[in-house]
Amino acid sequence: MIVRKSLGRVKSVLMLLMVLGFFFATYNLVSMIVGHKVGTDLGSIVDGKVEFTNTKSKFHVAVTATDAAYSQWQCRIMYYWYKKAKVMPGSAMGKFTRILHSGKGDQLMNEIPTFVVDPLPDGLDRGYIVLNRPWAFVQWLEKVVIDEEYILMAEPDHIFVNPLPNLASENEPAGYPFFYIKPAENEKIMRKFYPKEKGPVTDVDPIGNSPVIIHKYLLEEIAPTWVNVSLRMKDDPETDKAFGWVLEMYAYAVASALHGIKHTLRKDFMLQPPWDLEVGKNFIIHYTYGCDYDLEGKLTYGKIGEWRFDKRSYLMSPPPNNISLPPPGVPESVVRLVKMVNEATANIPNWDSLNRS
């Protein structure tokens, strides 16, 4: 299904000009623009405890992507498992959109619901393609009528392993606490983007933008600021060096804090093999790390194993059908991941004929 709109193109250009204007503005101006505080009323208070509301509201699943083979095959697997998880009891999933920030359609347009947006102007991402993510969300939110009240920001390398309910409330999104996002340990850098008058650095949540379930009106507020902070961080050599590939994650966390938004931190939102050993009641498998083991089932992380599954082994073409299962002794989470990848590739039509760069 192709989901495209021609209206709003002029508005998008104006929005980008505004964002770039923020990029070159002084921080005081940025603070004045993004300093609007959002309330934190989560619902009624019963016996001294907050009773959360809107937990049954559906959320729209949105994933940003490129037209590269590496992104395409991951999106196909993700969409396969989305369709299965959506109909499970307890799921609050609504519709799905792949936000394609390549500026043009690709061969998956009729397979995965897709909305095409423009990438940042040439050179602005400085080779860090993830900077296109916040700008993609700005354009999508501006141009599309989203039926659901909430949005799940997800990534291509997410597999839905259990039915996902709405973990957020209207004024408090839900996010996953990443162990490597440490605002308090980077206070000197953080103060360049989150000044003292805004509050302690601990106000910045240890999260990225994904996975996050958030009310769409909050994301509409945060997204332009997220673009602006991302560009400013990338333009600052000290910040760029310190944050590296997680820079855009820090930018989302800071942008949220600038708007006074705190996230409910849910460790069960996601698991990350090989470090998380069991699937349990977690909702999403995130297969960003390579899984390397010897034939006795011992992890050899940092060294290519006798058995391995690493998504980066398939940069130019998709993984083959029926990847061999790991040897005995490998954690259940890794075994489950490989079985789910194999099921998807066995059932997705024309798996091996598409997704080649």
Side-chain angles (χ1 to χ4, degrees), residues 209-227:
N209 85 289
S210 176
V212 163
I213 299 176
I214 186 170
H215 198 284
K216 61 186 176 185
Y217 86 84
L218 291 181
L219 186 55
E220 287 168 352
E221 287 191 5
I222 294 171
T225 310
W226 178 21
V227 177

Side-chain angles (χ1 to χ4, degrees), residues 83-94:
K83 289 186 291 184
K84 300 198 76 169
K86 180 184 178 183
V87 298
M88 292 180 181
S91 171
M93 291 178 174

Side-chain angles (χ1 to χ4, degrees), residues 2-13 103 114-118 139-140 142-145:
I2 303 175
V3 185
R4 299 195 66 172
K5 293 188 178 182
S6 59
L7 297 178
R9 181 127 184 125
V10 173
K11 290 177 64 180
S12 292
V13 174
T114 298
F115 185 80
V116 179
V117 297
D118 294 323
Q139 295 174 79
W140 179 64
E142 175 196 330
K143 297 178 180 180
V144 173
V145 176

Side-chain angles (χ1 to χ4, degrees), residues 180-200:
Y180 49 79
I181 302 296
K182 302 177 179 180
E185 294 184 16
N186 293 280
E187 182 165 6
K188 178 176 176 288
I189 292 175
M190 296 297 288
R191 286 305 185 193
K192 296 181 179 183
F193 312 97
Y194 192 74
K196 288 184 178 180
E197 58 266 25
K198 299 296 295 183

Side-chain angles (χ1 to χ4, degrees), residues 187-318:
E187 182 165 6
K188 178 176 176 288
I189 292 175
M190 296 297 288
R191 286 305 185 193
K192 296 181 179 183
F193 312 97
Y194 192 74
K196 288 184 178 180
E197 58 266 25
K198 299 296 295 183
V201 170
T202 51
D203 285 347
V204 180
D205 291 324
I207 60 170
N209 85 289
S210 176
V212 163
I213 299 176
I214 186 170
H215 198 284
K216 61 186 176 185
Y217 86 84
L218 291 181
L219 186 55
E220 287 168 352
E221 287 191 5
I222 294 171
T225 310
W226 178 21
V227 177
N228 177 44
V229 175
S230 297
L231 292 172
R232 293 182 61 239
M233 284 185 171
K234 189 63 179 174
D235 193 52
D236 182 78
E238 182 184 20
T239 305
D240 189 24
K241 181 179 179 181
F243 292 166
W245 64 274
V246 298
L247 180 148
E248 170 268 339
M249 298 172 68
Y250 271 101
Y252 174 80
V254 169
S256 299
L258 287 169
H259 284 275
I261 296 170
K262 294 289 291 183
H263 294 68
T264 299
L265 303 180
R266 297 289 301 251
K267 290 185 178 180
D268 60 345
F269 211 152
M270 191 169 72
L271 70 144
Q272 301 186 98
W275 310 117
D276 297 312
L277 305 181
E278 296 181 355
V279 171
K281 295 183 179 180
N282 297 290
F283 300 110
I284 294 171
I285 293 179
H286 182 210
Y287 55 99
T288 190
Y289 296 104
C291 299
D292 289 274
Y293 293 88
D294 63 23
L295 295 183
E296 283 71 49
K298 181 180 177 181
L299 182 67
T300 62
Y301 193 78
K303 177 184 176 182
I304 295 178
E306 295 173 279
W307 180 93
R308 76 181 323 231
F309 175 73
D310 186 341
K311 66 176 185 176
R312 294 166 189 84
S313 299
Y314 309 103
L315 295 175
M316 306 303 290
S317 61

